[in-house]
Amino acid sequence: MWHVSPSGRLDRLTVFKHVGGGYVPAGEMTFEGSEFLRPGAFQYDQSYLETPGATPLDPLGLPVVSQVFPGVPEAPLALLDAGPEGWGRSVLAMAFEGSVLGAAEFLAAGTTDRTGDLAFGASGEGGPGHWRPDGSQSSGISNQCDDLEALMLAAIAADESDATADQLGMLVRACADVGGARPKVRWRDREGEGIAKFPTWGDKFDDPRIEAVCLDVAESAGLPVPQRRLETFSGRTALLVRRFDRSEDGKPYAYLSMGTLLQEPASSYGTTRTYTDMAAAARAIGIEAPEEQMFRRLLVNAFLHNTDDHLRNHAVINTGEGWELSPVFDVVPYLERKRHVCAPGPGFSPECDPQVAFASHIAFGLAEEQAEAIRDDVVAAVRRLPEFFDRRDVSKADQELLRGLGQQ
């Protein structure tokens, strides 16, 4: 049974980590008080501490030692990476209107299909669980709808605050534990697991289609990107992206955002952290020579005017062979925003300008010749924008709106 306080809040969660062929108890989260934001703390289980080769949930913030780790403020950031963000939280809030939902409740509401290799349950003996504010309980394994058109229509209705109870129930099963602010759901087919990304009411262009184009550019520029395809349902575009935190046979990989590695609160959007800080954090957890790839990502974002490059839109994964930078994701032009969230490096302006971005190669420790070669790759990829627009059937109106992309 879940541990519920007299005020109706969850006050204890068992944290599980996927090890080998299944989930094992890694530690316990406890929460105090009845306020909306409750201070929490995490501590590793003794059994996990004694496991040979036990790996930390966060190599920088949660080393495998016997001590109490305070939340930020409710839970350590590594745990929040396994929970919902804006979209998933809004779905849960609509589905369980009137319930008080904080970090404990948001984490417990997800399933083992959540991002990364963590899960949550009521006890170590019971395994990962699936908590609901209405008192319903089930295992931590999801039972979601596989009708993508129905899910898209439900997501659009929820985005417009017009979803039915049935639609919200469908979405709770499909996206109560996904990250990001835009409408999306988990999905799977015979080839594996993915995320389906949908349009939202405020889009100025066909956002899913343009994101596919931007990923095409990033791939052509030499960056790792997930497999993807576009589908159309009821006249709306969906971008179907293969999950990179799962193996081909569904094994979950560890996942951490750069926000977690750099200890930026999950509620924080703006930051003084930079792309060079992200490279330093990657190097600190054993990633070899991350500076070249972070600089390449910076240039791609600058040329594509992706200024939504906050710390949780950059991540690392561990497939079992050590940490590596994750494939690129959430790359979309934001024409009205003139500044990157993260500046290139100390002393460099966050202005979205490819020339400013290129000048920062010094801060990355890259020789000018190496930086020029990277820029040449990116420029060559950006020049293929008309080809990618046509390949992805981008409308003439959207092409005209985005005609300034790629200019130096």
Side-chain angles (χ1 to χ4, degrees), residues 82-286:
E85 294 180 301
W87 169 247
R89 291 186 175 210
S90 68
V91 166
L92 286 168
M94 285 185 281
F96 302 104
E97 189 176 4
S99 299
V100 179
L101 304 174
E105 292 79 18
F106 284 129
L107 291 174
T111 72
T112 53
D113 282 335
R114 70 180 68 241
T115 302
D117 68 344
L118 301 183
F120 302 86
S123 67
E125 297 76 18
H130 192 199
W131 174 83
R132 288 289 176 263
D134 58 9
S136 61
Q137 299 187 47
S138 69
S139 71
I141 301 173
S142 69
N143 180 24
Q144 67 186 60
C145 171
D146 59 2
D147 184 339
L148 270 177
E149 183 171 12
L151 286 167
M152 171 185 268
L153 294 175
I156 290 172
D159 187 46
E160 297 174 352
S161 301
D162 195 33
T164 66
D166 286 344
Q167 287 178 318
L168 289 173
M170 187 188 308
L171 291 174
V172 166
R173 293 190 295 274
C175 64
D177 45 26
V178 299
R182 292 181 57 86
K184 60 177 69 67
V185 297
R186 288 181 272 98
W187 64 279
R188 60 165 56 90
D189 58 19
R190 287 175 295 181
E191 297 178 1
E193 301 181 49
I195 300 292
K197 309 179 76 171
F198 303 137
T200 187
W201 65 271
D203 287 345
K204 294 180 173 59
F205 45 75
D206 189 342
D207 195 281
R209 198 173 297 276
I210 298 304
E211 182 172 353
V213 168
C214 291
L215 291 175
D216 293 340
V217 172
E219 183 175 42
S220 180
L223 289 172
V225 298
Q227 297 177 30
R228 61 216 173 271
R229 72 176 191 268
L230 293 169
E231 298 282 355
T232 302
F233 304 103
S234 302
R236 306 281 191 105
T237 306
L239 173 61
L240 278 55
V241 180
R242 189 67 58 190
R243 291 182 66 167
F244 51 75
D245 66 332
R246 293 294 186 271
S247 68
E248 291 184 1
D249 61 359
K251 176 184 175 182
Y253 295 149
Y255 172 101
L256 291 172
S257 70
M258 279 294 179
T260 288
L261 292 180
L262 292 170
Q263 289 295 294
E264 283 281 352
S267 59
S268 173
Y269 183 80
T271 182
T272 59
R273 297 292 196 170
T274 66
Y275 276 79
T276 56
D277 288 329
M278 289 189 268
R283 183 176 283 277
I285 62 172

Side-chain angles (χ1 to χ4, degrees), residues 22 47 54 66 75 94 103 121 127 130 134 144 150 159 234 282 286 300 314 324 328 334 387 397-398 401:
S47 61
S66 180
M94 285 185 281
H130 192 199
D134 58 9
Q144 67 186 60
D159 187 46
S234 302
V300 167
H314 300 273
E324 60 188 75
V328 172
Y334 285 80
E387 171 193 342
D398 283 353
L401 181 66

